[in-house]
Amino acid sequence: MKNSIISGAGHYLPDRIVTNEELSSMMNTNDAWIVERTGIRERRWFTPGKDTVTSMARAASEMAIKNAGLNNKEIDFIIFATITPDYFIPGNGVLLQRELGLQGIGALDIRNACSGFVYALSVADQFIKSGMYQNILVVGAEIQSSALDKSDEGRSSAVIFADGAGAVVLQASNEPHKGILSTHLHADGDHAEELYVKDPGSSRKVRVSQELIDSGSFNLQMNGNAVFKHAVIRFYEVVQEALDANNLKPKDLDLLIPHQANLRISQYIQEKLGLEENQVFNNIMNYGNTTAATIPIAISEALETARIKPNDLVCLAAFGSGFAWASALIRW
């Protein structure tokens, strides 16, 4: 059976940098309040007319394909994780396929929000191990800033979420004991409304109306306390699950790449697992929470800066809307 290795990664971040100081001119907040609660100092927001989910994904994908030493035509399947597609239908996978000139290959969309990329990676891993595909493009891309309530009422989420794209090429390999060792997927729909965007929903009499817009149901709704309390438990559990499945300990990890939800969550998990600072990768300070894009962006940056090296043991872990949580353990 083939192994699945990440042979290349890439990322794209919009040009527009939004600082905490700029946010304080939009709503009743300040740099100290934001940093204390989230660790974020600045984030990227898209430029309308320039950036789309598709264009950002294309830039990240072309970088990943180039870094994998491949050309576009060698990609035989696309898995695209996003909850902010350019169109209501079709999904973003086919739009990216068109941009890359890959008409005819399959394209699958994943809607698991913050855990979307790890879910997508797990699906891709199964396809490769079954022998169905050889080179799969796995993408996470989001534009969240256009759905944020940038008033005082929405500040708890408006200061967190941001825009960007990341991609990896998952490739079949015959190297033993390399690549994805295991993936672990979980969800609990009892908490679906703790972090969600209610509309546009198909079960309404009218999918879009001024009444719905005025109600705020098109904006992100988040119970921050509930999310935090569940996240710190599930993050730890799913990382430990991955290690246990491979008879490994936290000290064996070279790098943990958590979904960049909140720096406080990452720091709590680091302490709980007994990891040193150099064993955890964080970039939320600079980019905010880009939902499905945070982990592939982090992988790309970690490779660029040699935070990931050959033979390193790397764990990816995510928690978010759904609630859904997941992990993947990888020998680089």
Side-chain angles (χ1 to χ4, degrees), residues 86-160:
D86 287 322
Y87 300 150
F88 194 81
I89 55 172
N92 247 94
V94 296
L95 304 181
L96 177 60
Q97 179 218 60
R98 179 174 65 188
E99 288 295 304
L100 295 174
L102 294 174
Q103 288 84 347
I105 72 168
L108 173 67
D109 286 70
I110 300 285
R111 286 180 46 84
N112 286 79
C114 299
S115 298
F117 179 79
V118 182
Y119 265 73
L121 198 69
S122 181
V123 172
D125 180 45
Q126 309 313 310
F127 275 136
I128 285 178
K129 285 177 175 171
S130 74
M132 189 168 183
Y133 298 115
Q134 298 297 306
N135 301 306
I136 301 179
L137 182 64
V138 186
V139 183
E142 307 279 7
I143 290 178
Q144 294 284 5
S145 62
S146 57
L148 298 176
D149 177 0
K150 302 179 182 74
S151 70
D152 290 352
E153 288 185 355
R155 67 173 182 170
S156 61
S157 55
V159 302
I160 294 174

Side-chain angles (χ1 to χ4, degrees), residues 1 50 61 102 145 151 184 198 207 262 270 276 286:
M1 187 168 63
K50 176 187 177 185
S61 297
L102 294 174
S145 62
S151 70
H184 310 270
K198 186 175 182 179
R207 192 172 286 177
N262 186 310
Q270 176 186 329
E276 300 295 329
N286 304 319

